[in-house]
Amino acid sequence: MDNVIRFSVSLPEQLLVELDKKVSTQGYASRSEFTRDLIREKIVKDNWKDDNSDVIGVLTMIYTHHQNDLVQRIIDIQHDAKIKIMCNTHVHVDHDNCLETVMVQGQANKIQDFAQKIGGLKGVKFSKLVKAAVPAS
């Protein structure tokens, strides 16, 4: 681990009470660990605001495979995407529905465009992009 530098933060008492509740209920070892997670989350969120930032994500979708040409359209969008598709999983939930996850890497704006194209297809019942990035530490 890099050198750890201590710094102090001043908080109103009620905010500190809320912080301690979160640390306790979410199982954090310390206030510091909780604060580090908050900072990392903010860095990831900011990376996604920069359209050219290299980020990663997971697109989760549920769709009916009975919709005309839907599976082929999803495949075509994936093949034409200007992003790296790292992994794809496909599960048959029941006779009518499929669950698919697509792990992607690339520029934030291109990943979001990819997710919107798939989410907008007729027959896609659910689509959600989980945005991630690898913070420096």
Side-chain angles (χ1 to χ4, degrees), residues 52-92:
N52 296 317
S53 183
D54 189 46
V55 293
I56 55 178
V58 180
L59 177 63
T60 301
M61 60 185 131
I62 295 175
Y63 59 88
T64 176
H65 63 266
H66 297 298
Q67 182 68 41
N68 287 345
D69 298 326
L70 177 60
V71 174
Q72 186 59 51
R73 291 169 65 198
I74 290 171
I75 290 170
D76 289 344
I77 291 170
Q78 290 180 20
H79 282 264
D80 294 339
K82 305 293 184 213
I83 59 176
K84 180 180 178 183
I85 296 182
M86 300 184 302
C87 181
N88 183 306
T89 60
H90 182 97
V91 178
H92 299 278

Side-chain angles (χ1 to χ4, degrees), residues 83-137:
I83 59 176
K84 180 180 178 183
I85 296 182
M86 300 184 302
C87 181
N88 183 306
T89 60
H90 182 97
V91 178
H92 299 278
V93 177
D94 56 35
H95 178 70
D96 297 317
N97 297 291
C98 296
L99 166 66
E100 192 163 326
T101 60
V102 184
M103 292 173 230
V104 295
Q105 181 179 16
Q107 291 179 330
N109 62 338
K110 292 178 181 174
I111 291 175
Q112 290 181 105
D113 182 57
F114 167 79
Q116 288 172 350
K117 284 179 183 175
I118 288 181
L121 294 173
K122 186 175 181 178
V124 174
K125 298 178 177 182
F126 173 84
S127 177
K128 180 172 177 134
L129 176 64
V130 175
K131 299 174 179 180
V134 181
S137 60

Side-chain angles (χ1 to χ4, degrees), residues 20-30 33-34:
D20 286 341
K21 283 182 193 175
K22 292 287 186 186
V23 168
S24 176
T25 60
Q26 294 182 14
Y28 282 92
S30 66
E33 194 56 45
F34 182 83

